[in-house]
Amino acid sequence: MSIVNNQIEFKELALKIFTRNKKKRIFCLYGGLGAGKTTFTQAIAKALKIEGTVTSPTFNIIKQYKIQSSKIDYKNLYHIDCYRLEDEKEILNLGFRELVEDKASLLIIEWADKINKILPKKRIDVYIKILDNFKREIIVK
Ligand SMILES: Nc1ncnc2c1ncn2[C@@H]1O[C@H](COP(=O)(O)OP(=O)(O)OP(=O)(O)O)[C@@H](O)[C@H]1O
Ligand SMILES: [Mg+2]
């Protein structure tokens, strides 16, 4: 468990968590509205030298980005937001299983609790809790 006092510390921690666990390939983010799930994703996207801004994929559910960094084995980042999903079927129809199997793709999933039933065992779970406007508690499992 870690506590960060502001967004800068949060982004630094996000990068550490990513660096330590990147071989797992699938990052599941949990936490209420405005907890920092998209911010977490943006910190990683920046480190991967992804061009342009990484915005919330809420309305598209899945957004794909090309990874430019030569230091990383993955070719694509898939930023997934399950907030609007009614059930697992919708994301399965969008090719979720294929992405899970694709070794060249890094997956970051916001509101992963919504698709709990179909998440692979090999993954990293990151729980973000709002303590106050700037403070966050982060638990990695
Ligand atoms: N320590 C912190 N870590 C992360 N975000 C912080 C922190 N302190 C303040 N913030 C603010 O909290 C907000 C987090 O928003 P963000 O979009 O990342 O949340 P989210 O979990 O993706 O929300 P949603 O469920 O709506 O997708 C941002 O406005 C950010 O500036
Ligand atoms: Mg978000």
Side-chain angles (χ1 to χ4, degrees):
M1 197 263 274
S2 310
I3 291 176
V4 296
N5 294 301
N6 54 55
Q7 216 180 134
I8 294 169
E9 286 181 19
F10 179 82
K11 287 184 171 182
E12 285 169 0
L13 181 64
L15 268 191
K16 270 189 202 156
I17 294 169
F18 173 67
T19 308
R20 279 187 208 131
N21 301 291
K22 61 186 168 200
K23 289 227 164 69
K24 292 239 168 95
R25 217 165 54 71
I26 298 169
F27 288 76
C28 296
L29 309 181
Y30 309 86
L33 286 169
K37 302 178 294 297
T38 300
T39 305
F40 187 100
T41 310
Q42 286 165 342
I44 294 170
K46 195 175 170 204
L48 297 177
K49 298 198 166 66
I50 284 170
E51 285 168 3
T53 36
V54 170
T55 53
S56 177
T58 306
F59 294 96
N60 328 280
I61 303 177
I62 301 178
K63 274 195 181 176
Q64 184 200 357
Y65 300 90
K66 287 262 166 271
I67 295 175
Q68 312 289 342
S69 172
S70 53
K71 289 184 198 137
I72 193 108
D73 294 336
Y74 307 123
K75 291 190 172 65
N76 303 292
L77 164 66
Y78 287 92
H79 184 198
I80 302 175
D81 192 339
C82 300
Y83 185 65
R84 285 180 177 272
L85 293 181
E86 296 287 338
D87 56 34
E88 289 81 4
K89 237 187 257 162
E90 197 178 344
I91 197 152
L92 288 172
N93 288 337
L94 291 171
F96 182 71
R97 288 232 198 280
E98 290 74 12
L99 294 183
V100 166
E101 296 303 322
D102 180 10
K103 302 271 186 289
S105 294
L106 174 68
L107 273 59
I108 305 181
I109 309 171
E110 295 192 33
W111 294 99
D113 27 340
K114 292 252 181 171
I115 57 164
N116 185 46
K117 278 190 250 167
I118 57 166
L119 289 175
K121 279 212 182 76
K122 195 183 167 193
R123 65 174 196 261
I124 281 289
D125 288 322
V126 181
Y127 295 85
I128 309 165
K129 192 172 151 193
I130 301 179
L131 297 183
D132 69 22
N133 283 175
F134 302 104
K135 265 191 190 175
R136 301 290 188 268
E137 178 194 280
I138 297 103
I139 295 173
V140 182
K141 281 183 189 159

